[in-house]
Amino acid sequence: MVTQVAAARPLRRGLRIGQQRALWAYLFLAVPLLFFAGIRILPAISSLYISVHEWNIISPVRPYVGLANFQTLSGDPRFAHAAINTVRYVLVGIPAQMVLGLGLALLLQRIVRFRGLFRALYFMPFITPIVAASWVWQWMYSQHLGPLNKILLGVGLPAQGFLRDPDQALYAVAAMVVWQYLGFQVVIFLAGLEAIPRVYYEAAQVDGATGWRLFWRITLPLLNPTIVFSVVYSTIVYLQLFTQVLNMTFQDQGGPLATTLTLVLYVYQLGFQRFRMGEAAAATAILFVVILTITLLQMKILSKPVEY
């Protein structure tokens, strides 16, 4: 009662207590909003501006060239190669990551002892510095010093080229990315599984459903929000692959024969090694449109309400 009277009483500065609280709330909300606009929105707008200009990062002159940068990219076979490789990373990595993540989450849900330990072990690669992990995997793939080839030779199989073989390099990098994000997928799927009410399973078991039937009829449909989130998040991650490829193929970035080159690495090479910032910004704009389109399509297709 006292608080209500105080809130209704005008203060010396002309603002009521409720208005002051609202003002402080807006001020605190404005700080992260301005930070987000400064590091996200403004660079995106600047990139769109540069994409229609010619700029070599040194010259202060930026002549307007219209869509010339986009036309140059459309005729660059290296850009097409990077785009195809990026799609291949998505098609290879996401299904493997989703299946393994869901499978491990189902197994962890069945155990009681050491569940936290296993969950922490699977999550550790996700918090490991990407650069360090990439160099360790590069050493593991080494043709002469790597432990993987020593194991293959030990069981009588021929040594593999891995990162030096154009037919294997992309899959070798994708395997590292799957390993890195597997723990995150396990945690997300575990949270989704724990959120499914047990009453649905009990009712289905009363009706005689068991095993795979429970999984297909109960678990998978009710995991749909989790699956949508995982697919969208993973797609964005794979479309923006950069650090892993750069470090695992450091001596021949995107090699061998550009078989591991991604769109983001192509943008980096174009902008900061060849100083063609206009074309790099145009490629970034194309990548932004692709990510936005795929994300909206995935949310439209995969988001299906489930009612029981």
Side-chain angles (χ1 to χ4, degrees):
M1 184 64 183
V2 175
T3 305
Q4 291 177 351
V5 171
R9 184 185 304 163
L11 298 180
R12 294 178 180 176
R13 298 178 181 177
L15 292 177
R16 300 177 187 276
I17 291 180
Q19 291 174 327
Q20 284 189 339
R21 288 176 177 173
L23 180 61
W24 278 110
Y26 283 120
L27 285 175
F28 281 117
L29 289 172
V31 173
L33 184 63
L34 290 174
F35 180 74
F36 178 79
I39 66 169
R40 291 290 187 182
I41 305 299
L42 290 181
I45 295 174
S46 176
S47 177
L48 290 175
Y49 172 79
I50 296 173
S51 68
V52 292
H53 292 76
E54 183 180 351
W55 185 37
N56 63 2
I57 209 173
I58 299 175
S59 173
V61 180
R62 304 178 188 179
Y64 176 76
V65 295
L67 299 178
N69 289 326
F70 294 91
Q71 293 175 346
T72 303
L73 288 177
S74 64
D76 186 355
R78 194 171 172 81
F79 173 73
H81 213 142
I84 293 172
N85 286 343
T86 304
V87 173
R88 290 175 65 192
Y89 277 118
V90 171
L91 296 178
V92 171
I94 294 179
Q97 198 168 285
M98 298 287 291
V99 171
L100 290 174
L102 180 56
L104 289 172
L106 288 169
L107 291 175
L108 287 178
Q109 193 191 26
R110 292 176 177 272
I111 64 174
V112 177
R113 301 182 63 183
F114 305 118
R115 181 192 295 184
L117 173 63
F118 282 111
R119 187 165 50 192
L121 290 176
Y122 283 119
F123 196 72
M124 284 182 66
F126 185 69
I127 58 175
T128 302
I130 301 176
V131 174
S134 300
W135 281 92
V136 169
W137 275 77
Q138 187 199 49
W139 166 74
M140 289 172 60
Y141 283 136
S142 173
Q143 194 164 8
H144 301 292
L145 303 175
L148 294 179
N149 269 327
K150 289 182 179 179
I151 293 174
L152 292 176
L153 292 172
V155 296
L157 296 174
Q160 301 297 314
F162 295 118
L163 294 175
R164 294 184 179 277
D165 188 335
D167 295 328
Q168 300 176 359
L170 185 142
Y171 302 103
V173 175
M176 182 270 171
V177 181
V178 170
W179 166 84
Q180 182 189 1
Y181 286 92
L182 183 59
F184 176 78
Q185 296 289 348
V186 170
V187 171
I188 294 298
F189 278 122
L190 265 177
L193 290 171
E194 296 294 335
I196 299 176
R198 303 304 302 173
V199 64
Y200 293 132
Y201 291 104
E202 294 168 359
Q205 287 170 343
V206 169
D207 293 337
T210 56
W212 280 105
R213 200 170 176 186
L214 286 174
F215 176 77
W216 288 110
R217 300 291 185 181
I218 304 292
T219 305
L220 205 54
L222 291 177
L223 268 181
N224 190 53
T226 307
I227 294 173
V228 172
F229 170 78
S230 295
V231 171
V232 172
Y233 176 80
S234 301
T235 303
I236 294 173
V237 167
Y238 278 90
L239 288 177
Q240 297 185 101
L241 275 186
F242 171 72
T243 309
Q244 297 90 340
V245 182
L246 176 68
N247 287 281
M248 293 180 73
T249 62
F250 191 75
Q251 295 177 341
D252 180 18
Q253 296 176 5
L257 302 177
T259 51
T260 60
L261 183 68
T262 63
L263 274 176
V264 178
L265 182 56
Y266 172 80
V267 170
Y268 168 76
Q269 292 175 341
L270 207 57
F272 296 100
Q273 293 181 352
R274 300 164 68 182
F275 303 111
R276 294 158 63 177
M277 297 300 291
E279 295 173 28
T284 304
I286 294 173
L287 181 61
F288 170 76
V289 173
V290 170
I291 291 176
L292 181 63
T293 304
I294 292 177
T295 301
L296 292 177
L297 284 175
Q298 286 177 336
M299 295 183 69
K300 179 70 175 178
I301 295 173
L302 296 178
S303 299
K304 295 184 297 184
V306 179
E307 294 182 359
Y308 284 93

